């Protein structure tokens, strides 16, 4: 089966700024694909080219088997990073309109919209104007609008940005539900924990270039099993004395440790156990966080 998305040597510049610099990757149909990178890496520009909002200077893009300009938009749902709602419209009327431009009959659009509004605890606001809703509520409404017509391809630009943990779980459940129903999902994020939990394939972009892409499992195997995850009680001063360690990424009582080639993880365990109480010790492939840092360096706290 042809990929849902193909980018080949795509370039996009804005004045002297090259926002996308020879990007190439493929998104398999039915996948849940993460486009990862720090803020300003070129993620939003890439997604907007997929949607034909802007066009590349050079290179080739195929979306659902067509060039973006050739009309696959009715098969795509889109959640932009900057919300694109109609503030003066009443909530249910706005969702009916959003559904109708994707081919739904008005009555069916309203039926589906009411079901989602119930699930997302927005039913009591159904007759309010969109501008009367909180930002969090508007973000929920934007997702409903994106998935209402059960699109073949769902593109989400920073869907979890600014959301509390409860609503992140709600969004994750809806995204997974659509993916299980066969929708190809592409989402951009700089929140690597969310990407690690969700995506099966990914591309990491930095300064407009794709620096790594492929299936998450393959990528982790490529980076080896040279990481140790350790949870402990006690003072973290012992981390300075661990043998055979290239680097550590500590978060309070939890630390991810990257080992030198050939180092024995048991030496780390023995040293740690002599100094602190070890609650968990696991040898594993590196997290997406550490893979990201190895590829692009440390940027923001989230990346």
């Amino acid at each position: 089966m042809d990929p849902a998305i193909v980018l080949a040597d795509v370039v996009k510049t804005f004045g002297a700024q090259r926002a996308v610099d020879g990007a190439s990757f493929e998104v398999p149909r039915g996948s849940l694909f993460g486009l990862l990178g720090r803020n300003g890496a070129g993620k939003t520009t890439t997604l907007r080219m997929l949607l034909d909002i802007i066009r590349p200077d050079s290179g080739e893009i195929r979306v659902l088997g067509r060039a973006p300009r050739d009309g696959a938009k009715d098969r795509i749902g889109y959640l932009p990073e900057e919300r694109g709602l109609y503030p003066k419209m009443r909530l249910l009327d706005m969702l009916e309109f959003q559904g109708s431009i994707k081919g739904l009959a008005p009555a069916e659009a309203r039926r589906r919209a009411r079901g989602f509004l119930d699930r997302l605890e927005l039913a009591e606001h159904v007759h309010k104007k969109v501008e009367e809703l909180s930002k969090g509520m508007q973000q929920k409404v934007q997702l409903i609008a994106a998935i209402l017509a059960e699109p073949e391809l769902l593109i989400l630009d920073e869907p979890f940005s600014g959301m509390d943990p409860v609503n992140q779980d709600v969004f994750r459940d809806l995204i997974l539900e659509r993916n299980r129903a066969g929708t190809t999902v592409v989402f951009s994020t700089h929140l690597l924990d969310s990407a690690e939990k969700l995506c099966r394939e990914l591309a990491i972009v930095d300064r407009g270039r794709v620096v790594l892409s492929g299936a998450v499992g393959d990528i982790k195997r490529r980076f080896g099993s040279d990481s140790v995850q350790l949870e402990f009680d006690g003072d973290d001063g012992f981390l300075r004395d661990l043998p055979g360690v290239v680097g550590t990424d500590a978060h309070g009582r939890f630390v991810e440790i990257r080992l030198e080639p050939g180092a024995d993880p048991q030496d780390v365990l023995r040293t740690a156990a002599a100094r602190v109480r070890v609650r968990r010790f696991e040898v594993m492939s590196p997290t997406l966080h550490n893979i990201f840092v190895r590829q692009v360096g440390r940027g923001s706290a989230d990346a």
Side-chain angles (χ1 to χ4, degrees), residues 6 27 47 53 98 125 152 168 177 180 218 232 244 247 266 298:
V6 177
V27 178
L47 297 184
I53 297 172
Q98 294 278 2
H125 306 288
E152 191 173 337
Q168 284 188 27
E177 181 181 291
R180 285 192 292 267
D218 292 342
F232 62 94
Q266 295 303 313
R298 293 188 179 273

Side-chain angles (χ1 to χ4, degrees), residues 14-245:
F14 298 98
Q17 177 67 35
R18 183 164 286 205
V20 177
D21 189 5
S24 298
F25 62 83
E26 294 187 357
V27 178
R29 287 186 187 258
S31 68
L32 215 165
F33 187 95
L35 187 62
L36 314 183
R38 346 178 199 211
N39 293 325
K43 304 186 300 295
T44 294
T45 299
T46 299
L47 297 184
R48 288 176 176 173
M49 287 191 289
L50 297 179
L51 293 154
D52 200 37
I53 297 172
I54 56 177
R55 290 182 175 172
D57 301 330
S58 61
E60 182 182 9
I61 300 176
R62 307 286 293 178
V63 179
L64 301 177
R66 305 178 183 178
R69 70 187 67 185
D70 290 341
K73 291 182 180 179
D74 58 338
R75 299 152 65 194
I76 301 173
Y78 176 45
L79 187 152
E81 182 178 14
E82 295 182 0
R83 308 306 173 219
L85 301 172
Y86 297 91
K88 300 297 182 183
M89 292 186 73
R90 298 195 182 278
L91 177 53
L92 190 59
D93 293 338
M94 199 266 313
L95 289 172
E96 177 189 319
F97 171 72
Q98 294 278 2
S100 67
I101 63 178
K102 295 293 185 180
L104 293 179
E108 177 62 13
R110 292 175 80 88
R111 184 189 70 79
R112 293 187 187 185
R114 285 187 180 278
F116 283 119
L117 292 170
D118 285 339
R119 287 183 61 181
L120 297 182
E121 300 181 344
L122 292 173
E124 64 184 277
H125 306 288
V126 67
H127 298 300
K128 287 184 179 180
K129 292 181 179 179
V130 171
E131 66 184 2
E132 297 172 341
L133 304 177
S134 70
K135 288 184 178 180
M137 291 177 182
Q138 290 186 30
Q139 198 164 3
K140 290 181 180 181
V141 173
Q142 186 82 60
L143 181 62
I144 294 172
I147 65 177
L148 193 64
E150 299 179 354
E152 191 173 337
L153 171 63
L154 182 60
I155 295 177
L156 310 172
D157 194 358
E158 297 285 358
F160 307 109
S161 180
M163 300 197 74
D164 61 73
V166 172
N167 282 317
Q168 284 188 27
D169 286 347
V170 170
F171 266 44
R172 186 180 66 245
D173 290 346
L174 285 172
I175 291 167
L176 287 171
E177 181 181 291
R178 288 310 319 148
N179 184 242
R180 285 192 292 267
T183 297
T184 303
V185 179
V186 177
F187 71 96
S188 72
T189 188
H190 62 286
L191 303 176
L192 301 182
D193 287 345
S194 297
E196 182 130 34
K197 293 173 183 175
L198 272 176
C199 58
R200 292 193 293 274
E201 288 84 18
L202 62 82
I204 294 176
V205 295
D206 186 49
R207 297 180 179 88
R209 293 180 176 272
V210 176
V211 297
L212 188 66
S213 65
V216 172
D218 292 342
I219 288 172
K220 288 197 166 192
R221 283 189 290 272
R222 194 186 317 169
F223 278 79
S225 298
D226 63 352
S227 288
V228 168
Q229 291 194 352
L230 176 66
E231 185 179 357
F232 62 94
D233 291 333
D235 189 276
D236 66 0
F238 77 99
L239 295 173
R240 294 187 293 271
D241 302 324
L242 293 175
V245 171

